[in-house]
Amino acid sequence: TPSDREGHSGTQSSHRLLAYSDALISIIATVMILPVAHTKMEDNEELRESVQLLLTTKIAVYLMTFLIVTVAWAAHIRLFQVIVRIDDCLALLNLACMMLITFLPYTFSLMATFPTNLLGILLFCGCVMVMGVIQSVIVLYAFSRPFLLNEQIQISENQTFYKHHILKVIMRVPLMCMFASIFSLIFLQLSYVLLAIVIFLPYISQSLKWCRSKAIGQVEETPDSMLFYTYLPNEPLSKDRVEAFSDGVYAIVATLLILDICEDNVPDPIVVQKQFGGSLIAALQVYGPEYLAYFGSFVTVGLLWFVHHSLFLHVTKATRFMGLLNTFSLAFVGGLPLAYQLTHEFPHNSRNELEAIQISCVIIFFAGIFQLAIWVVALYNEHETLHPYVRYGGREHVFMLAKLALYPCVALGTFFLTCILSKFSAQIFHLMEITVPFAFLVLRLLVRVGLALLRLIFCPDRPDPRSI
Amino acid sequence: TPSDREGHSGTQSSHRLLAYSDALISIIATVMILPVAHTKMEDNEELRESVQLLLTTKIAVYLMTFLIVTVAWAAHIRLFQVIVRIDDCLALLNLACMMLITFLPYTFSLMATFPTNLLGILLFCGCVMVMGVIQSVIVLYAFSRPFLLNEQIQISENQTFYKHHILKVIMRVPLMCMFASIFSLIFLQLSYVLLAIVIFLPYISQSLKWCRSKAIGQVEETPDSMLFYTYLPNEPLSKDRVEAFSDGVYAIVATLLILDICEDNVPDPIVVQKQFGGSLIAALQVYGPEYLAYFGSFVTVGLLWFVHHSLFLHVTKATRFMGLLNTFSLAFVGGLPLAYQLTHEFPHNSRNELEAIQISCVIIFFAGIFQLAIWVVALYNEHETLHPYVRYGGREHVFMLAKLALYPCVALGTFFLTCILSKFSAQIFHLMEITVPFAFLVLRLLVRVGLALLRLIFCPDRPDPRSI
């Protein structure tokens, strides 16, 4: 075969290139929360409105970046599900593509700060167009050396057809971006809408089509040409890459706070000498809430990762729709550094502090509930997507449900506690967070006890064959 | 077998846990360069000395953190070469361990800022001792459920012997830390030295032993008990984990600069209106050098990753010594953000700018030369560690040498250019960097031409059978 002939000298497994790309993309998707978290809050009522406006802008930039970057990541997965081997040339082209993706957040910052200026949108469209060109070059290059391609395409007879189909899909977005950038010279505001539609159009149209087919019950057969780049919700998604991307996001989020602590919370020796009589411990006590916030945050992120890890251990095949839900979950996880910044920013027992805790609870709740949603979606097609143990009636089914439901329940409970108890403080909140791991440790026991109780109450006669 | 009996419900492959740990550790090792890079430089001569002192302190903290964190990472690899399967309990214990590792940089910051205060060293020793206890618990837990262990230990008859050997090695460092913390109450300065020796002792003593045995020629047979935790330079090191850790470091370093750009280089709308008459392009031109520095930095980091990737593609087995050289290379890669911060900080064509370029060249040179050193070390034992293609006389041997030598040569060349040409500026430097990828693209051609020329000059009669 040609790939054997070329051998080790030319072609390489793409595994590590993809892992590196996943790491880069997950960092870029997440770090835009830092400008949000670094916005100084003011208790001053006058300044408050301008700060809130700034904060809203920055949160919008964060969410836009997260979404766009994950769309680019999805396109990258599609491309490298077709091209499964690489050589030096493809590796360099991929790095160029990555460089442009990492530049996208800056164009959003410009757009958000100067919404009436052309430059932001032109830069964004420019980046997307260049990326489109690079991706097309990658496709053309790979099809000129077929041993780089997927087995299925390699043995197929209508390679040219595949090539044209893929090129058409890839060039759609850059072409529309070109129109948007021309259009922006005439009527700026509408070109934002155009861009948003362009980027999410395949997802929207396919979701609508899927919903319609589910409602009417008519199942369309996928034609041969649509094996790749179908945009169907059940299009397979590389599980390895979902895991790698998620790991990157969780790792960055877990470490963002320690970075701030190392940079800002080392007191100045002169201040320690003058204000605290040289006592370092006294000087550090001021920062107490921040250390607690750090440990609380690390534990929460770590356990959300742990739940994600437990879930994906039992997922045998990931789909696009599960990937989308995972993205939503990760977007909330990425918001955690902001929540923790807020919890230790405000004076003790103020109304703001309670609000900050509530925001944290909401973020944790949504991060957890979207993880649960991934599982629910997987259950709909459990024979394809799940390991037998966690299917309906499997011996791990209830335990997995308990694992996934723990964080949403704790977050919801804490939220209502803050409404009832006015004495509830950030300290108590973070201490609660640090105790959650013990809940996970005794979860298996709790589930067993709970099931035994249920059995005792509802069907005391029938012995249950399942063991957990 | 027991592991089949327990099955999916209890035990899991440790692959993803290790990938996540690698991501966390690589981020922590690298982000401490940020406080260094964020130190404001002053052209003012008076302030200069205090800034230089601050900078030296911060660089020391960065290097210490990098070394300690990589030592902790090496210990983590050792541990999980013995324990190859995990369950929920081990995953949670490992997360606790990770939380303590991420806290270490802060203790270094305290030590560096308050060198005469006890607190930093006590906190550090405390963290290390707790980590030691957690690791011991992990070992005891794993040995109580032998199906979690390495095949080799699982079938071995003297498991208890292994357990005691591993526990002894693991508890050595925490115990010495306890002594150091008690000692610090009496004589602080010496306890720093003690700590440094404790942490690096196994490496130093084994290196000395290895050198002596090489010099005398006497080869000691490794006893059975020493299959794990030998600290010998040729002890195998998981190649996957070296790659994952390196990917993390390269990815963080490549994206650190865009983070700064997004946070600091979006001009204030009011300033744009007042100073630049509303022209955003004019306002952004001020930041021109920083964009150029970003692209130059991304390209350099990306290509250093590319070289690393090409090298490890041909490495079949990694050893501890190669891992150590890789750590040194990565420590220099981690210094790149500082270099780029320097290159665009100083006024155009000043002496400082030239010095900043020279520092960049030195950093790139060492990052590249240590990569080359990995290959040289691998060549000494090429039948075990390298793929046949890149061994002496292999058809990729010369090409790999050229790839690895390209960056050190370019850096060295640029360094001497800056000495000769006083007009050399940061702009030219970054533009040069952006053209290096093309050098990689034509490298195969260049090597072929070079070899043909050499053959023509030295042995024009003998036809060379090798093709590149």
Side-chain angles (χ1 to χ4, degrees):
Chain A
T1 70
S3 78
D4 279 339
R5 186 152 44 77
E6 188 78 0
H8 222 76
S9 70
T11 65
Q12 312 146 6
S13 151
S14 62
H15 172 257
R16 199 177 158 200
L17 181 83
L18 300 183
Y20 183 61
S21 306
D22 287 341
L24 278 177
I25 296 175
S26 61
I27 296 171
I28 283 301
T30 321
V31 289
M32 287 310 289
I33 198 67
L34 271 189
V36 187
H38 287 171
T39 308
K40 278 279 153 279
M41 302 297 142
E42 303 281 346
D43 262 344
N44 186 330
E45 281 297 326
E46 280 175 58
L47 282 172
R48 213 170 181 189
E49 260 185 46
S50 74
V51 167
Q52 271 181 353
L53 185 70
L54 188 64
L55 203 62
T56 317
T57 315
K58 285 182 175 177
I59 290 177
V61 172
Y62 164 68
L63 286 177
M64 276 298 280
T65 308
F66 201 95
L67 282 176
I68 293 286
V69 167
T70 48
V71 167
W73 174 67
H76 193 265
I77 293 184
R78 279 209 179 81
L79 187 60
F80 283 93
Q81 277 176 345
V82 172
I83 302 165
V84 293
R85 259 174 294 277
I86 57 159
D87 62 6
D88 284 4
C89 190
L90 281 185
L92 292 174
L93 283 172
N94 181 62
L95 283 178
C97 216
M98 285 298 130
M99 187 163 79
L100 289 167
I101 289 181
T102 58
F103 196 67
L104 289 182
Y106 185 65
T107 67
F108 284 118
S109 298
L110 283 182
M111 278 193 229
T113 324
F114 302 92
T116 56
N117 200 304
L118 277 177
L119 198 64
I121 203 163
L122 285 181
L123 268 180
F124 173 77
C125 290
C127 279
V128 173
M129 283 189 281
V130 177
M131 264 157 61
V133 171
I134 294 175
Q135 290 198 346
S136 310
V137 172
I138 290 177
V139 170
L140 288 174
Y141 182 86
F143 272 89
S144 76
R145 297 163 178 235
F147 49 87
L148 298 172
L149 297 172
N150 191 315
E151 277 295 283
Q152 225 174 329
I153 298 184
Q154 237 182 93
I155 57 168
S156 150
E157 285 186 4
N158 44 1
Q159 276 186 14
T160 326
F161 184 79
Y162 276 117
K163 185 166 79 175
H164 289 161
H165 171 63
I166 292 168
L167 278 179
K168 230 185 291 170
V169 175
I170 285 179
M171 287 311 287
R172 209 159 51 189
V173 173
L175 273 178
M176 293 298 274
C177 274
M178 204 174 77
F179 286 124
S181 60
I182 294 168
F183 202 66
S184 70
L185 299 171
I186 306 159
F187 191 56
L188 187 64
Q189 306 306 323
L190 212 68
S191 68
Y192 283 117
V193 181
L194 194 67
L195 268 188
I197 292 174
V198 165
I199 288 159
F200 298 107
L201 192 65
Y203 297 92
I204 298 166
S205 79
Q206 288 295 336
S207 306
L208 286 178
K209 236 185 245 173
W210 185 73
C211 291
R212 205 179 51 197
S213 78
K214 283 279 158 187
I216 306 173
Q218 157 207 14
V219 181
E220 286 174 63
E221 201 55 43
T222 318
D224 183 46
S225 66
M226 299 296 267
L227 256 166
F228 305 97
Y229 285 88
T230 63
Y231 292 94
L232 286 173
N234 59 354
E235 188 185 347
L237 189 70
S238 161
K239 193 187 144 202
D240 281 346
R241 297 201 61 186
V242 176
E243 290 184 351
F245 181 72
S246 310
D247 282 353
V249 171
Y250 284 110
I252 291 282
V253 171
T255 43
L256 279 182
L257 260 187
I258 196 69
L259 176 60
D260 280 342
I261 286 182
C262 283
E263 205 159 348
D264 302 332
N265 298 2
V266 179
D268 192 316
I270 300 159
V271 173
V272 172
Q273 200 57 50
K274 280 189 186 157
Q275 289 183 11
F276 299 95
S279 163
L280 183 57
I281 296 179
L284 289 182
Q285 266 166 3
V286 182
Y287 300 127
E290 301 185 28
Y291 305 141
L292 205 60
Y294 168 66
F295 286 115
S297 137
F298 193 96
V299 167
T300 305
V301 176
L303 289 184
L304 283 170
W305 174 84
F306 173 70
V307 172
H308 190 273
H309 162 78
S310 304
L311 175 62
F312 272 78
L313 207 64
H314 294 90
V315 168
T316 48
K317 182 193 132 192
T319 64
R320 290 277 151 186
F321 191 44
M322 285 158 74
L324 194 66
L325 290 172
N326 188 46
T327 304
F328 289 146
S329 171
L330 292 178
F332 281 101
V333 169
L336 280 175
L338 169 68
Y340 290 96
Q341 202 79 23
L342 290 177
T343 52
H344 66 74
E345 194 107 312
F346 295 110
H348 200 53
N349 279 333
S350 65
R351 202 176 57 87
N352 282 333
E353 193 190 23
L354 271 185
E355 274 175 14
I357 297 173
Q358 288 175 346
I359 293 174
S360 304
C361 289
V362 169
I363 291 178
I364 295 171
F365 176 76
F366 277 107
I369 212 77
F370 277 114
Q371 287 184 337
L372 187 60
I374 298 173
W375 194 52
V376 172
V377 167
L379 280 175
Y380 267 100
N381 203 0
E382 58 178 9
H383 286 283
E384 267 189 43
T385 53
L386 285 180
H387 191 274
Y389 280 132
V390 291
R391 291 185 197 156
Y392 286 117
R395 66 185 215 199
E396 289 277 298
H397 182 78
V398 183
F399 183 55
M400 180 56 78
L401 178 67
K403 251 185 187 173
L404 285 164
L406 185 63
Y407 256 109
C409 290
V410 168
L412 214 61
T414 317
F415 188 88
F416 287 119
L417 268 184
T418 55
C419 298
I420 301 164
L421 302 171
S422 59
K423 284 269 175 209
F424 200 88
S425 73
Q427 259 86 333
I428 302 176
F429 175 62
H430 293 308
L431 285 175
M432 266 182 70
E433 285 187 304
I434 294 172
T435 57
V436 175
F438 300 101
F440 274 100
L441 279 180
V442 295
L443 195 61
R444 199 173 279 270
L445 194 74
L446 286 179
V447 170
R448 209 175 289 178
V449 170
L451 279 183
L453 277 178
L454 282 178
R455 217 176 303 142
L456 210 70
I457 297 166
F458 291 108
C459 36
D461 306 324
R462 199 172 43 151
D464 194 292
R466 278 181 284 165
S467 69
I468 293 146
Chain B
T1 68
S3 78
D4 278 338
R5 188 154 40 77
E6 188 79 359
H8 222 75
S9 70
T11 65
Q12 312 146 5
S13 149
S14 63
H15 172 257
R16 199 177 157 199
L17 181 83
L18 301 183
Y20 183 62
S21 306
D22 288 341
L24 277 177
I25 296 175
S26 61
I27 295 171
I28 282 300
T30 321
V31 289
M32 287 310 289
I33 198 68
L34 271 189
V36 187
H38 287 171
T39 309
K40 277 280 153 278
M41 302 297 143
E42 303 281 345
D43 262 347
N44 185 331
E45 282 298 325
E46 280 174 56
L47 282 172
R48 212 168 182 192
E49 260 184 47
S50 73
V51 168
Q52 271 182 352
L53 185 69
L54 188 63
L55 202 61
T56 317
T57 316
K58 285 181 175 179
I59 291 177
V61 172
Y62 164 69
L63 285 178
M64 275 298 278
T65 308
F66 202 95
L67 282 177
I68 292 286
V69 168
T70 48
V71 167
W73 174 69
H76 193 265
I77 294 184
R78 280 207 177 83
L79 188 60
F80 283 93
Q81 276 176 345
V82 172
I83 301 165
V84 293
R85 257 174 294 278
I86 57 159
D87 61 8
D88 284 4
C89 190
L90 281 185
L92 292 173
L93 284 172
N94 182 61
L95 283 178
C97 217
M98 285 300 130
M99 186 163 80
L100 289 167
I101 290 182
T102 58
F103 196 68
L104 289 183
Y106 185 65
T107 65
F108 284 118
S109 298
L110 284 182
M111 279 192 227
T113 324
F114 302 93
T116 56
N117 200 303
L118 279 177
L119 197 64
I121 203 162
L122 284 182
L123 268 180
F124 174 77
C125 290
C127 280
V128 173
M129 283 188 283
V130 176
M131 263 158 61
V133 171
I134 294 176
Q135 290 198 345
S136 310
V137 171
I138 290 178
V139 170
L140 288 174
Y141 182 86
F143 272 89
S144 75
R145 295 159 179 239
F147 50 86
L148 297 173
L149 297 171
N150 192 316
E151 273 300 276
Q152 225 172 331
I153 297 184
Q154 237 181 90
I155 56 169
S156 151
E157 286 184 2
N158 44 1
Q159 275 188 13
T160 326
F161 184 80
Y162 276 118
K163 185 166 81 176
H164 289 161
H165 171 63
I166 292 169
L167 278 179
K168 229 185 292 169
V169 176
I170 284 179
M171 288 311 286
R172 209 159 51 188
V173 173
L175 273 179
M176 293 298 275
C177 274
M178 203 174 76
F179 286 124
S181 59
I182 294 167
F183 203 66
S184 70
L185 299 171
I186 307 159
F187 192 54
L188 186 65
Q189 307 306 322
L190 212 67
S191 69
Y192 283 118
V193 181
L194 194 66
L195 269 189
I197 292 175
V198 166
I199 288 159
F200 299 107
L201 191 66
Y203 298 92
I204 298 166
S205 79
Q206 287 296 334
S207 306
L208 285 177
K209 236 185 245 173
W210 185 73
C211 291
R212 204 180 51 195
S213 78
K214 283 280 159 184
I216 305 171
Q218 157 205 12
V219 180
E220 287 173 63
E221 201 56 42
T222 318
D224 182 46
S225 68
M226 299 295 269
L227 255 166
F228 305 98
Y229 285 88
T230 63
Y231 293 93
L232 286 173
N234 59 355
E235 188 186 348
L237 188 70
S238 161
K239 195 189 142 201
D240 281 346
R241 297 202 61 184
V242 175
E243 291 184 351
F245 181 72
S246 310
D247 283 352
V249 171
Y250 283 110
I252 290 283
V253 171
T255 43
L256 279 181
L257 259 188
I258 195 70
L259 176 60
D260 280 343
I261 286 182
C262 282
E263 206 161 348
D264 303 331
N265 298 2
V266 179
D268 192 315
I270 299 160
V271 174
V272 172
Q273 200 57 48
K274 279 190 188 155
Q275 290 184 11
F276 298 96
S279 163
L280 183 58
I281 296 179
L284 289 183
Q285 267 167 3
V286 181
Y287 301 127
E290 301 185 26
Y291 305 140
L292 205 60
Y294 168 66
F295 287 115
S297 136
F298 193 97
V299 167
T300 306
V301 176
L303 290 183
L304 283 170
W305 174 83
F306 174 70
V307 173
H308 190 272
H309 162 79
S310 304
L311 174 61
F312 272 78
L313 207 63
H314 294 92
V315 168
T316 49
K317 183 193 132 191
T319 64
R320 291 275 152 187
F321 191 44
M322 285 159 74
L324 194 67
L325 291 172
N326 187 45
T327 302
F328 290 146
S329 170
L330 291 178
F332 281 101
V333 169
L336 279 176
L338 169 69
Y340 289 96
Q341 201 79 24
L342 290 177
T343 52
H344 65 75
E345 195 107 313
F346 296 111
H348 200 56
N349 279 333
S350 65
R351 201 176 58 86
N352 281 333
E353 193 189 23
L354 271 185
E355 272 175 15
I357 297 172
Q358 287 175 346
I359 292 174
S360 304
C361 289
V362 169
I363 290 178
I364 296 171
F365 175 77
F366 277 107
I369 212 78
F370 277 114
Q371 287 184 338
L372 188 60
I374 297 173
W375 193 51
V376 172
V377 167
L379 279 175
Y380 268 101
N381 203 358
E382 57 178 9
H383 286 283
E384 267 189 43
T385 53
L386 285 180
H387 190 274
Y389 279 132
V390 291
R391 292 182 196 158
Y392 287 115
R395 67 186 213 198
E396 289 277 298
H397 182 79
V398 183
F399 183 56
M400 181 55 81
L401 178 68
K403 251 185 189 174
L404 285 164
L406 185 63
Y407 256 110
C409 291
V410 168
L412 214 61
T414 315
F415 188 88
F416 287 119
L417 268 184
T418 55
C419 299
I420 301 164
L421 301 171
S422 58
K423 284 270 174 208
F424 200 85
S425 73
Q427 261 85 334
I428 301 176
F429 174 62
H430 293 307
L431 286 175
M432 267 182 69
E433 285 187 304
I434 294 171
T435 58
V436 175
F438 300 101
F440 274 100
L441 280 179
V442 296
L443 194 61
R444 200 173 279 270
L445 194 74
L446 286 178
V447 169
R448 208 176 289 180
V449 170
L451 278 183
L453 277 178
L454 281 178
R455 216 178 303 142
L456 208 70
I457 297 166
F458 291 107
C459 37
D461 305 324
R462 199 172 43 147
D464 193 290
R466 276 182 286 163
S467 69
I468 294 144

